[in-house]
Tab-separated table of all heavy atoms in Angstrom:
chain	number	residue	atom	x	y	z
A	1	MET	N	119.381	22.855	161.035
A	1	MET	CA	119.963	24.086	161.546
A	1	MET	C	120.162	25.096	160.427
A	1	MET	O	120.012	26.291	160.632
A	1	MET	CB	121.297	23.751	162.222
A	1	MET	CG	121.916	24.919	162.915
A	1	MET	SD	120.903	25.604	164.214
A	1	MET	CE	121.758	25.063	165.628
A	2	ARG	N	120.455	24.643	159.236
A	2	ARG	CA	120.710	25.537	158.112
A	2	ARG	C	119.450	26.313	157.730
A	2	ARG	O	119.516	27.485	157.354
A	2	ARG	CB	121.220	24.734	156.922
A	2	ARG	CG	121.552	25.601	155.760
A	2	ARG	CD	122.111	24.810	154.617
A	2	ARG	NE	122.326	25.715	153.503
A	2	ARG	CZ	123.156	25.503	152.539
A	2	ARG	NH1	123.868	24.402	152.527
A	2	ARG	NH2	123.293	26.374	151.569
A	3	VAL	N	118.291	25.670	157.841
A	3	VAL	CA	117.031	26.333	157.504
A	3	VAL	C	116.818	27.526	158.427
A	3	VAL	O	116.394	28.599	157.988
A	3	VAL	CB	115.853	25.339	157.616
A	3	VAL	CG1	114.532	26.042	157.439
A	3	VAL	CG2	116.013	24.222	156.602
A	4	TRP	N	117.118	27.371	159.697
A	4	TRP	CA	116.939	28.462	160.647
A	4	TRP	C	117.865	29.623	160.336
A	4	TRP	O	117.490	30.796	160.477
A	4	TRP	CB	117.168	27.972	162.080
A	4	TRP	CG	116.097	27.027	162.517
A	4	TRP	CD1	116.242	25.694	162.772
A	4	TRP	CD2	114.716	27.337	162.713
A	4	TRP	NE1	115.038	25.154	163.121
A	4	TRP	CE2	114.073	26.143	163.098
A	4	TRP	CE3	113.957	28.483	162.609
A	4	TRP	CZ2	112.727	26.081	163.372
A	4	TRP	CZ3	112.605	28.424	162.893
A	4	TRP	CH2	111.999	27.240	163.259
A	5	LYS	N	119.081	29.313	159.896
A	5	LYS	CA	120.016	30.370	159.519
A	5	LYS	C	119.488	31.141	158.313
A	5	LYS	O	119.562	32.369	158.268
A	5	LYS	CB	121.392	29.789	159.201
A	5	LYS	CG	122.146	29.323	160.413
A	5	LYS	CD	123.508	28.790	160.031
A	5	LYS	CE	124.258	28.285	161.234
A	5	LYS	NZ	125.578	27.748	160.873
A	6	LEU	N	118.942	30.432	157.333
A	6	LEU	CA	118.393	31.091	156.149
A	6	LEU	C	117.168	31.933	156.503
A	6	LEU	O	116.995	33.040	155.991
A	6	LEU	CB	118.032	30.059	155.079
A	6	LEU	CG	119.211	29.363	154.403
A	6	LEU	CD1	118.724	28.280	153.453
A	6	LEU	CD2	120.068	30.376	153.679
A	7	LEU	N	116.320	31.414	157.384
A	7	LEU	CA	115.152	32.191	157.815
A	7	LEU	C	115.581	33.438	158.583
A	7	LEU	O	114.989	34.510	158.404
A	7	LEU	CB	114.236	31.332	158.673
A	7	LEU	CG	113.412	30.286	157.924
A	7	LEU	CD1	112.649	29.415	158.915
A	7	LEU	CD2	112.462	30.949	156.952
A	8	GLY	N	116.584	33.322	159.400
A	8	GLY	CA	117.095	34.476	160.141
A	8	GLY	C	117.670	35.524	159.204
A	8	GLY	O	117.412	36.725	159.358
A	9	LEU	N	118.435	35.071	158.217
A	9	LEU	CA	119.012	35.985	157.235
A	9	LEU	C	117.913	36.670	156.426
A	9	LEU	O	117.964	37.876	156.187
A	9	LEU	CB	119.967	35.230	156.307
A	9	LEU	CG	120.655	36.060	155.230
A	9	LEU	CD1	121.493	37.156	155.871
A	9	LEU	CD2	121.517	35.158	154.362
A	10	ALA	N	116.896	35.910	156.047
A	10	ALA	CA	115.778	36.494	155.304
A	10	ALA	C	115.055	37.540	156.154
A	10	ALA	O	114.660	38.595	155.650
A	10	ALA	CB	114.810	35.404	154.870
A	11	GLY	N	114.900	37.272	157.428
A	11	GLY	CA	114.254	38.234	158.324
A	11	GLY	C	115.060	39.511	158.465
A	11	GLY	O	114.510	40.613	158.459
A	12	ILE	N	116.351	39.369	158.571
A	12	ILE	CA	117.227	40.544	158.674
A	12	ILE	C	117.152	41.373	157.400
A	12	ILE	O	117.032	42.597	157.437
A	12	ILE	CB	118.674	40.116	158.982
A	12	ILE	CG1	118.757	39.565	160.413
A	12	ILE	CG2	119.645	41.271	158.793
A	12	ILE	CD1	120.075	38.914	160.737
A	13	LEU	N	117.205	40.707	156.256
A	13	LEU	CA	117.127	41.426	154.980
A	13	LEU	C	115.785	42.129	154.812
A	13	LEU	O	115.722	43.245	154.288
A	13	LEU	CB	117.378	40.467	153.823
A	13	LEU	CG	118.809	39.936	153.708
A	13	LEU	CD1	118.909	38.916	152.581
A	13	LEU	CD2	119.776	41.063	153.496
A	14	ALA	N	114.723	41.508	155.261
A	14	ALA	CA	113.403	42.143	155.183
A	14	ALA	C	113.362	43.381	156.069
A	14	ALA	O	112.808	44.422	155.679
A	14	ALA	CB	112.318	41.155	155.591
A	15	GLY	N	113.952	43.302	157.238
A	15	GLY	CA	113.998	44.462	158.126
A	15	GLY	C	114.800	45.603	157.531
A	15	GLY	O	114.401	46.771	157.611
A	16	VAL	N	115.909	45.289	156.909
A	16	VAL	CA	116.738	46.315	156.276
A	16	VAL	C	115.984	46.961	155.118
A	16	VAL	O	115.988	48.183	154.957
A	16	VAL	CB	118.075	45.707	155.797
A	16	VAL	CG1	118.826	46.676	154.902
A	16	VAL	CG2	118.925	45.318	156.994
A	17	ALA	N	115.318	46.155	154.310
A	17	ALA	CA	114.564	46.692	153.177
A	17	ALA	C	113.422	47.583	153.653
A	17	ALA	O	113.172	48.644	153.072
A	17	ALA	CB	114.025	45.546	152.322
A	18	THR	N	112.747	47.187	154.706
A	18	THR	CA	111.661	48.000	155.251
A	18	THR	C	112.202	49.320	155.785
A	18	THR	O	111.622	50.382	155.539
A	18	THR	CB	110.931	47.242	156.375
A	18	THR	OG1	110.422	46.026	155.841
A	18	THR	CG2	109.804	48.068	156.948
A	19	GLY	N	113.299	49.271	156.488
A	19	GLY	CA	113.913	50.496	157.008
A	19	GLY	C	114.337	51.432	155.897
A	19	GLY	O	114.163	52.656	155.988
A	20	ALA	N	114.871	50.892	154.809
A	20	ALA	CA	115.280	51.727	153.677
A	20	ALA	C	114.068	52.388	153.027
A	20	ALA	O	114.118	53.568	152.660
A	20	ALA	CB	116.041	50.884	152.655
A	21	ALA	N	112.977	51.658	152.902
A	21	ALA	CA	111.763	52.222	152.301
A	21	ALA	C	111.187	53.328	153.183
A	21	ALA	O	110.762	54.379	152.679
A	21	ALA	CB	110.723	51.125	152.081
A	22	VAL	N	111.191	53.120	154.491
A	22	VAL	CA	110.674	54.141	155.407
A	22	VAL	C	111.551	55.388	155.350
A	22	VAL	O	111.039	56.513	155.317
A	22	VAL	CB	110.596	53.583	156.847
A	22	VAL	CG1	110.354	54.682	157.857
A	22	VAL	CG2	109.530	52.522	156.932
A	23	ALA	N	112.851	55.210	155.313
A	23	ALA	CA	113.760	56.356	155.245
A	23	ALA	C	113.565	57.128	153.947
A	23	ALA	O	113.560	58.363	153.950
A	23	ALA	CB	115.209	55.868	155.364
A	24	ARG	N	113.371	56.432	152.847
A	24	ARG	CA	113.148	57.098	151.561
A	24	ARG	C	111.853	57.894	151.590
A	24	ARG	O	111.810	59.044	151.160
A	24	ARG	CB	113.115	56.078	150.431
A	24	ARG	CG	112.941	56.731	149.057
A	24	ARG	CD	112.750	55.711	147.959
A	24	ARG	NE	111.515	54.986	148.201
A	24	ARG	CZ	111.392	53.665	148.147
A	24	ARG	NH1	112.422	52.918	147.875
A	24	ARG	NH2	110.230	53.098	148.370
A	25	ASP	N	110.790	57.308	152.114
A	25	ASP	CA	109.515	58.012	152.206
A	25	ASP	C	109.625	59.241	153.108
A	25	ASP	O	109.026	60.274	152.832
A	25	ASP	CB	108.425	57.086	152.727
A	25	ASP	CG	108.029	56.020	151.716
A	25	ASP	OD1	108.336	56.196	150.516
A	25	ASP	OD2	107.407	55.023	152.120
A	26	GLU	N	110.371	59.132	154.171
A	26	GLU	CA	110.550	60.265	155.081
A	26	GLU	C	111.302	61.405	154.391
A	26	GLU	O	110.946	62.570	154.551
A	26	GLU	CB	111.313	59.805	156.325
A	26	GLU	CG	111.480	60.862	157.384
A	26	GLU	CD	110.182	61.251	158.055
A	26	GLU	OE1	109.202	60.502	157.959
A	26	GLU	OE2	110.154	62.333	158.667
A	27	ARG	N	112.317	61.075	153.611
A	27	ARG	CA	113.037	62.112	152.873
A	27	ARG	C	112.138	62.808	151.874
A	27	ARG	O	112.179	64.029	151.731
A	27	ARG	CB	114.239	61.510	152.152
A	27	ARG	CG	115.421	61.239	153.045
A	27	ARG	CD	116.677	60.978	152.246
A	27	ARG	NE	116.503	59.916	151.266
A	27	ARG	CZ	116.756	58.635	151.480
A	27	ARG	NH1	117.173	58.245	152.662
A	27	ARG	NH2	116.587	57.744	150.531
A	28	VAL	N	111.290	62.049	151.185
A	28	VAL	CA	110.357	62.641	150.223
A	28	VAL	C	109.361	63.530	150.946
A	28	VAL	O	109.054	64.642	150.497
A	28	VAL	CB	109.628	61.532	149.425
A	28	VAL	CG1	108.486	62.104	148.627
A	28	VAL	CG2	110.613	60.820	148.509
A	29	ARG	N	108.851	63.088	152.084
A	29	ARG	CA	107.862	63.854	152.830
A	29	ARG	C	108.450	65.163	153.341
A	29	ARG	O	107.812	66.201	153.282
A	29	ARG	CB	107.335	63.035	154.006
A	29	ARG	CG	106.201	63.718	154.751
A	29	ARG	CD	105.777	62.917	155.952
A	29	ARG	NE	106.812	62.836	156.962
A	29	ARG	CZ	107.066	63.795	157.853
A	29	ARG	NH1	106.383	64.900	157.835
A	29	ARG	NH2	108.008	63.630	158.752
A	30	ARG	N	109.660	65.137	153.818
A	30	ARG	CA	110.283	66.334	154.375
A	30	ARG	C	110.686	67.338	153.308
A	30	ARG	O	111.018	68.465	153.619
A	30	ARG	CB	111.500	65.952	155.202
A	30	ARG	CG	111.128	65.297	156.498
A	30	ARG	CD	112.336	65.061	157.341
A	30	ARG	NE	111.926	64.424	158.582
A	30	ARG	CZ	112.685	64.363	159.638
A	30	ARG	NH1	113.881	64.881	159.616
A	30	ARG	NH2	112.248	63.780	160.725
A	31	HIS	N	110.670	66.942	152.062
A	31	HIS	CA	111.078	67.824	150.972
A	31	HIS	C	110.062	68.940	150.740
A	31	HIS	O	110.396	69.984	150.220
A	31	HIS	CB	111.279	67.003	149.690
A	31	HIS	CG	111.739	67.804	148.532
A	31	HIS	ND1	112.986	68.378	148.478
A	31	HIS	CD2	111.116	68.161	147.387
A	31	HIS	CE1	113.111	69.038	147.340
A	31	HIS	NE2	111.993	68.913	146.661
A	32	TYR	N	108.811	68.732	151.150
A	32	TYR	CA	107.770	69.728	150.943
A	32	TYR	C	107.917	70.866	151.952
A	32	TYR	O	108.258	70.648	153.094
A	32	TYR	CB	106.378	69.107	151.125
A	32	TYR	CG	106.071	68.029	150.127
A	32	TYR	CD1	105.845	66.724	150.540
A	32	TYR	CD2	105.990	68.309	148.779
A	32	TYR	CE1	105.558	65.732	149.632
A	32	TYR	CE2	105.700	67.317	147.860
A	32	TYR	CZ	105.485	66.027	148.299
A	32	TYR	OH	105.208	65.060	147.393
A	33	ASP	N	107.628	72.093	151.500
A	33	ASP	CA	107.582	73.190	152.455
A	33	ASP	C	106.150	73.339	152.970
A	33	ASP	O	105.237	72.664	152.512
A	33	ASP	CB	108.106	74.497	151.864
A	33	ASP	CG	107.252	75.040	150.734
A	33	ASP	OD1	106.231	74.415	150.388
A	33	ASP	OD2	107.602	76.104	150.198
A	34	ALA	N	105.950	74.216	153.931
A	34	ALA	CA	104.647	74.337	154.590
A	34	ALA	C	103.549	74.733	153.611
A	34	ALA	O	102.420	74.236	153.702
A	34	ALA	CB	104.733	75.353	155.723
A	35	GLY	N	103.844	75.605	152.680
A	35	GLY	CA	102.843	76.040	151.706
A	35	GLY	C	102.374	74.901	150.818
A	35	GLY	O	101.176	74.776	150.530
A	36	GLU	N	103.303	74.050	150.396
A	36	GLU	CA	102.942	72.908	149.553
A	36	GLU	C	102.077	71.914	150.328
A	36	GLU	O	101.106	71.379	149.791
A	36	GLU	CB	104.193	72.212	149.036
A	36	GLU	CG	104.954	73.019	148.000
A	36	GLU	CD	106.280	72.380	147.637
A	36	GLU	OE1	106.922	71.782	148.525
A	36	GLU	OE2	106.666	72.479	146.464
A	37	ILE	N	102.430	71.683	151.569
A	37	ILE	CA	101.648	70.755	152.384
A	37	ILE	C	100.233	71.294	152.579
A	37	ILE	O	99.253	70.564	152.444
A	37	ILE	CB	102.330	70.517	153.746
A	37	ILE	CG1	103.637	69.755	153.533
A	37	ILE	CG2	101.420	69.764	154.702
A	37	ILE	CD1	104.493	69.638	154.761
A	38	ARG	N	100.116	72.581	152.879
A	38	ARG	CA	98.808	73.203	153.080
A	38	ARG	C	97.964	73.086	151.809
A	38	ARG	O	96.785	72.731	151.863
A	38	ARG	CB	98.990	74.668	153.465
A	38	ARG	CG	97.714	75.359	153.874
A	38	ARG	CD	97.952	76.798	154.319
A	38	ARG	NE	98.979	76.911	155.355
A	38	ARG	CZ	100.198	77.436	155.173
A	38	ARG	NH1	100.556	77.910	154.003
A	38	ARG	NH2	101.058	77.490	156.167
A	39	THR	N	98.572	73.354	150.659
A	39	THR	CA	97.855	73.267	149.386
A	39	THR	C	97.378	71.843	149.127
A	39	THR	O	96.224	71.629	148.730
A	39	THR	CB	98.768	73.731	148.234
A	39	THR	OG1	99.173	75.083	148.491
A	39	THR	CG2	98.053	73.662	146.905
A	40	ARG	N	98.243	70.856	149.379
A	40	ARG	CA	97.865	69.461	149.161
A	40	ARG	C	96.737	69.038	150.100
A	40	ARG	O	95.815	68.325	149.698
A	40	ARG	CB	99.077	68.551	149.348
A	40	ARG	CG	100.094	68.691	148.219
A	40	ARG	CD	101.350	67.905	148.518
A	40	ARG	NE	101.074	66.520	148.778
A	40	ARG	CZ	101.468	65.514	148.018
A	40	ARG	NH1	102.168	65.755	146.942
A	40	ARG	NH2	101.189	64.278	148.343
A	41	LEU	N	96.797	69.481	151.351
A	41	LEU	CA	95.737	69.132	152.298
A	41	LEU	C	94.403	69.751	151.883
A	41	LEU	O	93.355	69.109	151.975
A	41	LEU	CB	96.108	69.579	153.711
A	41	LEU	CG	97.180	68.746	154.400
A	41	LEU	CD1	97.581	69.389	155.717
A	41	LEU	CD2	96.711	67.325	154.626
A	42	HIS	N	94.441	70.992	151.412
A	42	HIS	CA	93.207	71.633	150.944
A	42	HIS	C	92.638	70.902	149.734
A	42	HIS	O	91.418	70.712	149.632
A	42	HIS	CB	93.456	73.104	150.610
A	42	HIS	CG	93.557	73.991	151.810
A	42	HIS	ND1	92.497	74.273	152.630
A	42	HIS	CD2	94.623	74.640	152.342
A	42	HIS	CE1	92.890	75.068	153.612
A	42	HIS	NE2	94.189	75.300	153.463
A	43	GLN	N	93.510	70.458	148.827
A	43	GLN	CA	93.047	69.713	147.656
A	43	GLN	C	92.395	68.401	148.080
A	43	GLN	O	91.327	68.039	147.575
A	43	GLN	CB	94.212	69.429	146.702
A	43	GLN	CG	94.696	70.647	145.952
A	43	GLN	CD	95.958	70.360	145.151
A	43	GLN	OE1	96.617	69.337	145.358
A	43	GLN	NE2	96.296	71.276	144.265
A	44	LYS	N	93.037	67.681	148.996
A	44	LYS	CA	92.475	66.413	149.469
A	44	LYS	C	91.137	66.634	150.162
A	44	LYS	O	90.205	65.852	149.994
A	44	LYS	CB	93.450	65.711	150.421
A	44	LYS	CG	94.649	65.127	149.721
A	44	LYS	CD	95.539	64.402	150.703
A	44	LYS	CE	96.728	63.793	150.017
A	44	LYS	NZ	97.563	63.021	150.937
A	45	HIS	N	91.032	67.699	150.935
A	45	HIS	CA	89.782	68.008	151.618
A	45	HIS	C	88.683	68.306	150.602
A	45	HIS	O	87.561	67.802	150.720
A	45	HIS	CB	89.972	69.192	152.567
A	45	HIS	CG	88.705	69.611	153.237
A	45	HIS	ND1	87.927	70.630	152.763
A	45	HIS	CD2	88.077	69.117	154.332
A	45	HIS	CE1	86.870	70.756	153.534
A	45	HIS	NE2	86.941	69.854	154.500
A	46	ASP	N	88.998	69.123	149.616
A	46	ASP	CA	88.008	69.456	148.588
A	46	ASP	C	87.542	68.209	147.834
A	46	ASP	O	86.352	68.055	147.545
A	46	ASP	CB	88.573	70.482	147.608
A	46	ASP	CG	88.816	71.840	148.263
A	46	ASP	OD1	88.226	72.093	149.346
A	46	ASP	OD2	89.604	72.633	147.708
A	47	GLU	N	88.470	67.299	147.533
A	47	GLU	CA	88.108	66.056	146.851
A	47	GLU	C	87.208	65.195	147.736
A	47	GLU	O	86.240	64.602	147.264
A	47	GLU	CB	89.362	65.280	146.470
A	47	GLU	CG	90.182	65.945	145.372
A	47	GLU	CD	91.528	65.297	145.178
A	47	GLU	OE1	91.842	64.285	145.865
A	47	GLU	OE2	92.296	65.795	144.327
A	48	ALA	N	87.516	65.125	149.029
A	48	ALA	CA	86.705	64.324	149.950
A	48	ALA	C	85.301	64.896	150.072
A	48	ALA	O	84.315	64.146	150.081
A	48	ALA	CB	87.376	64.259	151.327
A	49	VAL	N	85.192	66.217	150.135
A	49	VAL	CA	83.882	66.853	150.220
A	49	VAL	C	83.089	66.586	148.946
A	49	VAL	O	81.895	66.269	148.995
A	49	VAL	CB	84.027	68.370	150.484
A	49	VAL	CG1	82.705	69.087	150.306
A	49	VAL	CG2	84.584	68.608	151.879
A	50	ALA	N	83.752	66.675	147.812
A	50	ALA	CA	83.069	66.429	146.539
A	50	ALA	C	82.579	64.977	146.455
A	50	ALA	O	81.462	64.728	146.002
A	50	ALA	CB	84.006	66.742	145.377
A	51	ARG	N	83.395	64.024	146.921
A	51	ARG	CA	82.975	62.620	146.926
A	51	ARG	C	81.791	62.415	147.857
A	51	ARG	O	80.861	61.679	147.543
A	51	ARG	CB	84.128	61.709	147.329
A	51	ARG	CG	85.084	61.395	146.223
A	51	ARG	CD	85.992	60.228	146.585
A	51	ARG	NE	86.674	60.412	147.866
A	51	ARG	CZ	87.858	60.961	148.026
A	51	ARG	NH1	88.510	61.420	146.972
A	51	ARG	NH2	88.412	61.060	149.216
A	52	ALA	N	81.811	63.062	149.004
A	52	ALA	CA	80.717	62.909	149.971
A	52	ALA	C	79.425	63.484	149.395
A	52	ALA	O	78.350	62.887	149.557
A	52	ALA	CB	81.070	63.611	151.278
A	53	GLU	N	79.521	64.611	148.723
A	53	GLU	CA	78.322	65.217	148.124
A	53	GLU	C	77.790	64.358	146.998
A	53	GLU	O	76.573	64.237	146.821
A	53	GLU	CB	78.636	66.616	147.616
A	53	GLU	CG	78.874	67.622	148.730
A	53	GLU	CD	79.344	68.979	148.217
A	53	GLU	OE1	79.607	69.096	146.998
A	53	GLU	OE2	79.433	69.915	149.035
A	54	THR	N	78.671	63.734	146.229
A	54	THR	CA	78.269	62.872	145.128
A	54	THR	C	77.577	61.615	145.649
A	54	THR	O	76.572	61.168	145.102
A	54	THR	CB	79.485	62.467	144.279
A	54	THR	OG1	80.133	63.658	143.832
A	54	THR	CG2	79.080	61.646	143.082
A	55	SER	N	78.091	61.042	146.721
A	55	SER	CA	77.517	59.808	147.248
A	55	SER	C	76.195	60.047	147.967
A	55	SER	O	75.382	59.140	148.089
A	55	SER	CB	78.506	59.117	148.191
A	55	SER	OG	78.723	59.905	149.333
A	56	GLU	N	75.963	61.262	148.448
A	56	GLU	CA	74.712	61.564	149.138
A	56	GLU	C	73.547	61.698	148.157
A	56	GLU	O	72.431	61.353	148.478
A	56	GLU	CB	74.844	62.883	149.921
A	56	GLU	CG	75.707	62.780	151.142
A	56	GLU	CD	75.869	64.117	151.842
A	56	GLU	OE1	75.293	65.107	151.363
A	56	GLU	OE2	76.569	64.176	152.845
A	57	GLY	N	73.823	62.254	147.006
A	57	GLY	CA	72.735	62.601	146.110
A	57	GLY	C	72.512	61.609	145.063
A	57	GLY	O	71.596	61.263	144.502
């Protein structure tokens, strides 16, 4: 019975840790304003296009 209690506690702690990580990532993501997000998306797009052109030729 003790093993099940430890497994349950470990599962709860894993859930709490995952929730904390998701909340932290969400706070970081929301910190950007619209202009910064647009700039980052354009940069990622340009990099993807450059990689595609490099792999084609």
